[in-house]
Amino acid sequence: MDWKNEYQRWATATSLDEELKKDLEALKGQDKQIEDAFYKNLEFGTGGMRGEIGPGTNRMNLYTIRKASEGLAQYIDAHGEESKKRGVAIAYDSRHKSPEFAMEAAKTLATHGIQTYVFEELRPTPELSFAVRKLNAYAGIVITASHNPPEYNGYKVYGEDGGQLPPKEAAEVISYVDGIDNELEVQVTSEEKLKEKGLIQMIGAEIDAQYIEELKALRVNTSLLEEMGDQLKIVFTPLHGTANLPVREGLKAYGFNQVTVVEEQELPDPNFSTVSSPNPEEHAAFELAIKYGEKQDADLLLATDPDADRVGVAVKNKEGQYVVLTGNQTGALLLNYIITQKKENGELPENGAVLKTIVTSEIGRKIAEDNGLTSYDTLTGFKFIGEKIKEFETSGEHTFLFGYEESYGYLVGDFVRDKDAVQACLVAAEVAAFYKSKGMTLYEGLLEVFEQYGYYQEGLESLTLKGKEGAEKIVSLLAQFREQPPTEAAGLSVESVEDYQTSVRTHLKKEATEKIDLPKSNVLKYKLEDGSWFCLRPSGTEPKVKFYFGVNGDNLDNSKNKLSELRKSVMSKVHERLG
């Protein structure tokens, strides 16, 4: 794309939105910023799109929203009148422009005669997934950029099962979106007229109530909750996002009455003013919650990201200091509790299956298989877990028990088909209550799990490489690791290389290969002689490349040391190749 021509096309458009026109004028003379805003179209990928808010073809604005929605509308049109009648459910988070973008999407779809259901106020992403299923909608949209910085927003598309669109359907939608030549020419009817025709309907309280009822059904041990509900002290922060009301209502329904919400972070704030990043994966996001916890001697601290699909958990360690658990550790605790309690109650399905991603800890597989259950790996991205659940429903081969990924995403009840921080908060509180009933902290519970299944430790490093130059560096780095794979790391030989782009696993010592039965993805995973592993994966939604590490040691110190050595070794190779 010629960014100068694209910029001129926008700058000379007679009907350009007034606010965007002013923003565009403010960019005059700033060629680097203009190039970044116009050098390409904002990519609509398998997970939708995400980008900085502002004018330009490579930005989130009402025209790129209309373009995406026009593509989705054409996709739905092609699937017939019944699909149009079933329609699309739309939710949005607390970010800048989220309500406006949600309504632009609704207007674009409804202009095609497609029924739309728009939440009257911000709602969690998992509740949108639930709404798609409850309303028997044909698709869903969430306006969110999850835990990205405040200048970002995004657009995620869901299929009729409430899961993010799997690759085949996503590719079909992408082809329609890419076929729209001029986003400035997409026409929409007024909101007022579309509401008069009944094509835009507002939804809210009824879906909320049904969602809470489903959450109640996830309680594993009701007698435990009756006994311990008043004793467990919880501090919760929604980090200025959408989880405030549903998590509080859910905890109350579970019988937890000693819940304190971090006041400074309780209300929606698109600037996320109290945190450098609204991401519970980053320990700094817990700073205020920890202060509250120390004042109240809380047993459990919970923090959800803005669209409430991820949750972080912090608990006191042996020294009495609050530590934030990794996503893998929280997942291990939830999984172990669900399995052991269901087994004790005689409710564990014989054909039960646990789903995790390829970069999630191997402790999940160990816990599942030691309890006679099957575990499956999926590609990174919860849509693949949702797709697998749908497959189980169709085949009857397995009963879904639990799904999770290392990046703080969990799913317990399949009435939602995306990661659900509201579910995870409630079950985490129940697990903490269980250990408290035994006179233990949740951290001591984690050590008990490690003692039983192995001292697994995992780590993550991310490199942010922005703009055109950054994108080229990421492509080059993956190509180098693919064409010249390392033969050792941390003094350990590489035993196998898994290339998810070619779907081939190569065993280096045996000089043998086998097929990987997963969709293609630009990911490389290396397994070492002692079972340790590391993985390279470009982010699908941010200008980042991520590096994942996993080890298993004899004890906590041993596993931490192994992880540190592996991380150092791999990252030195990365920086060497980046130059």
Side-chain angles (χ1 to χ4, degrees):
M1 274 173 76
D2 185 325
W3 63 269
K4 289 180 181 175
N5 286 344
E6 290 299 300
Y7 169 65
Q8 281 304 315
R9 180 168 65 86
W10 274 57
T12 56
T14 53
S15 58
L16 196 72
D17 172 76
E18 282 301 316
E19 187 182 346
L20 285 171
K21 192 182 284 186
K22 284 177 188 169
D23 292 341
L24 206 57
E25 283 169 5
L27 287 176
K28 273 183 182 173
Q30 300 178 56
D31 281 3
K32 191 163 176 55
Q33 285 90 330
I34 294 172
E35 181 183 6
D36 198 49
F38 286 96
Y39 84 94
K40 65 173 184 174
N41 287 323
L42 186 61
E43 189 177 339
F44 192 97
T46 56
M49 62 185 187
R50 193 179 295 186
E52 292 182 38
I53 300 165
T57 57
N58 189 33
R59 293 287 183 263
M60 288 290 295
N61 51 63
L62 73 89
Y63 298 110
T64 50
I65 288 284
R66 284 180 185 173
K67 179 179 177 179
S69 304
E70 178 69 16
L72 179 61
Q74 290 179 17
Y75 166 82
I76 294 170
D77 262 337
H79 286 78
E81 281 303 313
E82 184 59 30
S83 303
K84 291 169 73 171
K85 280 179 192 167
R86 287 172 61 189
V88 180
I90 303 174
Y92 58 90
D93 69 7
S94 56
R95 289 180 173 274
H96 289 292
K97 300 287 182 186
S98 283
E100 294 90 337
F101 288 168
M103 192 50 71
E104 282 304 325
K107 288 192 297 186
T108 309
L109 293 161
T111 298
H112 280 257
I114 295 166
Q115 181 65 57
T116 60
Y117 304 94
V118 185
F119 274 102
E120 61 201 358
E121 290 180 310
L122 74 175
R123 289 296 191 283
T125 286
E127 192 172 346
L128 180 277
S129 172
F130 175 75
V132 169
R133 296 175 62 77
K134 262 296 170 197
L135 295 166
N136 190 33
Y138 190 69
I141 297 169
V142 180
I143 305 296
T144 178
S146 191
H147 53 276
N148 278 63
E151 62 269 23
Y152 282 78
N153 213 325
Y155 182 109
K156 290 196 325 193
V157 181
Y158 287 75
E160 60 185 326
D161 66 330
Q164 288 184 52
L165 284 183
K168 186 185 170 192
E169 289 81 356
E172 203 178 330
V173 174
I174 290 165
S175 70
Y176 282 109
V177 175
D178 289 347
I180 296 159
D181 290 331
N182 191 340
E183 66 287 337
L184 302 179
E185 291 178 356
V186 176
Q187 298 299 308
V188 298
T189 307
S190 74
E191 178 184 338
E192 189 181 21
K193 280 185 182 174
L194 292 166
K195 281 182 172 175
E196 277 174 18
K197 289 181 180 178
L199 284 166
I200 294 179
Q201 289 183 28
M202 306 308 286
I203 56 173
E206 191 178 335
I207 298 291
D208 296 342
Q210 292 169 331
Y211 178 57
I212 292 293
E213 283 306 306
E214 292 283 7
L215 291 171
K216 287 181 189 174
L218 296 180
R219 292 173 292 189
V220 182
N221 189 331
T222 49
S223 58
L224 167 77
L225 292 169
E226 285 164 12
E227 178 197 339
M228 298 301 298
D230 277 330
Q231 295 183 47
L232 193 78
K233 290 182 183 175
I234 300 168
V235 169
F236 166 59
T237 172
L239 295 178
H240 304 294
T242 59
N244 182 28
L245 296 178
V247 167
R248 288 166 74 173
E249 198 171 335
L251 288 170
K252 189 178 177 184
Y254 271 51
F256 294 111
N257 297 312
Q258 294 209 59
V259 179
T260 303
V261 179
V262 176
E263 191 178 338
E264 299 90 330
Q265 298 171 334
E266 178 181 357
L267 297 178
D269 172 8
N271 293 316
F272 310 111
S273 312
T274 63
V275 287
S276 56
S277 168
N279 184 358
E281 291 181 73
E282 294 179 17
H283 295 191
F286 272 90
E287 199 175 309
L288 280 172
I290 287 171
K291 284 178 182 171
Y292 272 66
E294 286 168 347
K295 275 184 194 170
Q296 300 185 14
D297 191 28
D299 301 293
L300 180 69
L301 314 181
L302 300 166
T304 52
D305 70 343
D307 70 323
D309 61 356
R310 299 170 196 242
V311 61
V313 174
V315 289
K316 282 185 180 178
N317 63 12
K318 286 187 169 180
E319 289 74 43
Q321 297 171 323
Y322 286 103
V323 291
V324 182
L325 302 183
T326 69
N328 285 308
Q329 290 168 347
T330 298
L333 279 162
L334 298 179
L335 175 59
N336 185 61
Y337 176 77
I338 289 165
I339 288 176
T340 53
Q341 288 294 296
K342 283 187 179 288
K343 191 181 261 190
E344 204 172 289
N345 299 343
E347 296 170 356
L348 192 66
E350 284 184 15
N351 67 344
V354 173
L355 302 173
K356 70 177 195 68
T357 68
I358 57 174
V359 295
T360 300
S361 175
E362 287 299 300
I363 197 170
R365 190 187 320 282
K366 178 76 171 159
I367 294 170
E369 292 179 356
D370 278 14
N371 285 281
L373 301 172
T374 308
S375 74
Y376 287 92
D377 277 0
T378 70
L379 288 180
T380 308
F382 226 86
K383 61 178 169 283
F384 297 109
I385 289 176
E387 193 178 18
K388 204 76 182 165
I389 296 170
K390 190 176 181 182
E391 190 184 299
F392 293 164
E393 272 185 335
T394 306
S395 69
E397 184 185 357
H398 290 290
T399 299
F400 169 74
L401 193 71
F402 185 69
Y404 76 117
E405 57 186 8
E406 48 70 44
S407 55
Y408 290 56
Y410 317 95
L411 185 65
V412 184
D414 64 4
F415 54 88
V416 166
R417 294 299 165 89
D418 202 350
K419 50 189 179 281
D420 188 342
V422 184
Q423 288 188 23
C425 281
L426 308 189
V427 179
E430 183 173 338
V431 179
F434 169 75
Y435 283 111
K436 183 155 189 171
S437 74
K438 295 171 68 177
M440 297 167 67
T441 65
L442 195 57
Y443 186 80
E444 287 167 335
L446 176 65
L447 295 181
E448 190 175 80
V449 172
F450 279 158
E451 188 61 35
Q452 185 172 357
Y453 296 108
Y455 287 85
Y456 289 81
Q457 292 285 327
E458 295 77 30
L460 170 66
E461 291 273 350
S462 293
L463 286 179
T464 299
L465 300 164
K466 283 191 173 184
K468 188 179 177 183
E469 192 181 324
E472 288 165 358
K473 279 187 176 180
I474 291 171
V475 170
S476 169
L477 183 67
L478 267 289
Q480 288 181 63
F481 267 85
R482 182 168 277 117
E483 290 155 19
Q484 300 161 328
T487 55
E488 66 79 37
L492 297 164
S493 62
V494 175
E495 290 224 322
S496 66
V497 181
E498 295 176 354
D499 188 340
Y500 291 87
Q501 185 107 294
T502 60
S503 301
V504 173
R505 181 182 293 111
T506 304
H507 298 276
L508 300 182
K509 286 184 180 175
K510 298 177 190 172
E511 295 185 347
T513 61
E514 59 185 298
K515 188 176 184 299
I516 298 170
D517 191 22
L518 287 173
K520 291 184 188 300
S521 184
N522 188 18
V523 179
L524 294 165
K525 187 172 182 180
Y526 303 85
K527 293 188 176 175
L528 308 182
E529 59 184 283
D530 71 338
S532 301
W533 57 271
F534 65 96
C535 182
L536 283 71
R537 183 182 79 85
S539 170
T541 53
E542 300 170 86
K544 284 182 179 179
V545 57
K546 297 184 176 184
F547 309 90
Y548 302 82
F549 313 93
V551 302
N552 182 14
D554 302 325
N555 55 55
L556 207 52
D557 288 339
N558 172 247
S559 61
K560 283 179 179 176
N561 289 336
K562 283 178 79 171
L563 180 62
S564 175
E565 289 304 311
L566 180 60
R567 190 194 295 254
K568 273 187 218 163
S569 174
V570 172
M571 292 314 293
S572 71
K573 295 179 198 303
V574 169
H575 290 296
E576 195 178 295
R577 294 183 187 214
L578 279 172

